[in-house]
Amino acid sequence: AEKVIGIGRMSIAELLLPYLKEKELLSLEKYEVPAREEVNEELKEVSGQPIRLKRVSPKPILEPRPFLTIWRNGQWIQWEGRSVFNAGVVTINNKYYVVYRALGIDGDSRVGLAVIDKDGKAVIKRLNIPILEPVDNGYELPTLPRGSEREHGGIEDTRLIIEGDTIYVFHTAFGNMPQSALITISVEDFLGIEKDYEEVEQGKMSIEEFVGKTQSKWIRHGIIFPNVSTKNCYIINYEDGDGKKKIVLIHRMDDKNT
């Protein structure tokens, strides 16, 4: 059976569901972050030279749209009123689907969707309605008073991977504390969100119908490490020197856990 070593809280295999079936999960341990010089030297050994990133544009691809509002809890909310950032991306049909965090004026983080062309420069489509919103399930929104008015709670920092016909959305659920969580959606249902939104634009579907239909597409699998404050969870596939497939789950521990 797959185990989590070092943290020793639970089996991740039970939560990642079909993604980990017939695959091996590497043991997870706490590691000290190496100095940048050490990392660069390791990269040279692997790739021959350090990895260099090139900025596509001097301007942001996406910026907040404070004029957008949604009706929630008896009031109009500027759901992108504060900022848009920390996006996850998947490539489907030669297009980049950018799933980004939108921090609203109410302090809740929701998830928006933009479609970018294959060059990564032009926005083909950007929805005016969130595609994923937090619910009162005990871990996506706080049950206790929050000290900060700027950030109340919600779904943050999405990391996306495609395995088969499923998109796995690792994210930070910011309830009473930030915790790594997992939500999945089929590729077909995910692409269907864009098609449904076209019907909204054409007046064939109401906003309320779109919201209800879209929210029902997502499957929540809960917290990965219960009662552990952790963020930025992601999974990487690779093959070792013997050609054996490995899976590494990477996440950022909060200082209060150490």
Side-chain angles (χ1 to χ4, degrees):
E2 288 113 345
K3 296 180 180 179
V4 179
I5 299 188
I7 294 177
R9 301 269 175 171
M10 62 181 302
S11 170
I12 296 179
E14 295 176 1
L15 291 176
L16 300 192
L17 298 175
Y19 182 69
L20 291 177
K21 285 183 178 178
E22 299 179 357
K23 296 186 177 182
E24 179 180 347
L25 178 68
L26 285 184
S27 297
L28 300 182
E29 300 177 1
K30 293 183 180 179
Y31 292 101
E32 294 295 328
V33 178
R36 181 177 299 178
E37 293 75 13
E38 296 177 22
V39 174
N40 285 338
E41 288 302 318
E42 290 186 13
L43 288 174
K44 287 181 181 179
E45 292 180 8
V46 174
S47 63
Q49 60 183 358
I51 295 175
R52 300 186 184 280
L53 302 179
K54 182 180 180 181
R55 191 180 298 275
V56 176
S57 169
K59 297 181 180 180
I61 297 175
L62 303 176
E63 296 186 71
R65 299 172 295 176
F67 54 87
L68 293 180
T69 58
I70 54 175
W71 182 259
R72 297 291 183 274
N73 301 319
Q75 60 181 328
W76 290 104
I77 301 297
Q78 295 168 282
W79 68 280
E80 288 190 5
R82 294 193 187 277
S83 54
V84 294
F85 55 118
N86 290 7
V89 181
V90 289
T91 306
I92 305 175
N93 299 329
N94 292 319
K95 293 187 290 187
Y96 296 112
Y97 286 81
V98 181
V99 178
Y100 60 90
R101 174 186 173 188
L103 181 58
I105 204 70
D106 59 345
D108 281 354
S109 290
R110 301 172 177 87
V111 177
L113 174 64
V115 185
I116 312 294
D117 68 7
K118 63 180 181 180
D119 295 325
K121 296 180 180 180
V123 178
I124 300 173
K125 180 181 286 293
R126 186 175 176 185
L127 280 58
N128 293 338
I129 310 169
I131 64 168
L132 180 59
E133 301 189 50
V135 297
D136 289 316
N137 54 13
Y139 61 89
E140 290 180 356
L141 290 171
T143 59
L144 302 173
R146 179 83 73 202
S148 170
E149 294 183 0
R150 177 177 173 78
E151 296 190 32
H152 175 254
I155 299 173
E156 308 176 353
D157 314 335
T158 54
R159 270 75 171 154
L160 282 66
I161 56 174
I162 297 179
E163 177 74 14
D165 60 357
T166 302
I167 298 175
Y168 294 78
V169 184
F170 296 91
H171 61 282
T172 301
F174 191 21
N176 292 331
M177 63 178 173
Q179 298 182 91
S180 295
L182 174 64
I183 293 176
T184 60
I185 187 172
S186 70
V187 173
E188 181 180 0
D189 282 345
F190 181 76
L191 294 176
I193 294 174
E194 185 181 6
K195 295 178 181 178
D196 289 340
Y197 186 72
E198 291 177 358
E199 294 198 9
V200 174
E201 293 179 311
Q202 297 167 4
K204 298 178 181 179
M205 181 183 295
S206 70
I207 292 177
E208 291 74 17
E209 288 176 310
F210 173 82
V211 171
K213 186 175 181 180
T214 301
Q215 294 299 305
S216 67
K217 294 175 183 289
W218 303 95
I219 301 175
R220 287 171 164 84
H221 302 292
I223 298 299
I224 296 176
F225 301 107
N227 302 315
V228 177
S229 184
T230 177
K231 296 181 178 182
N232 310 132
C233 185
Y234 192 66
I235 272 190
I236 296 176
N237 285 317
Y238 78 100
E239 290 188 4
D240 62 15
D242 298 325
K244 197 171 185 179
K245 290 185 177 181
K246 302 285 187 178
I247 298 173
V248 178
L249 188 149
I250 301 173
H251 63 107
R252 177 161 65 94
M253 296 287 289
D254 195 293
D255 290 341
K256 65 185 65 176
N257 293 314
T258 59

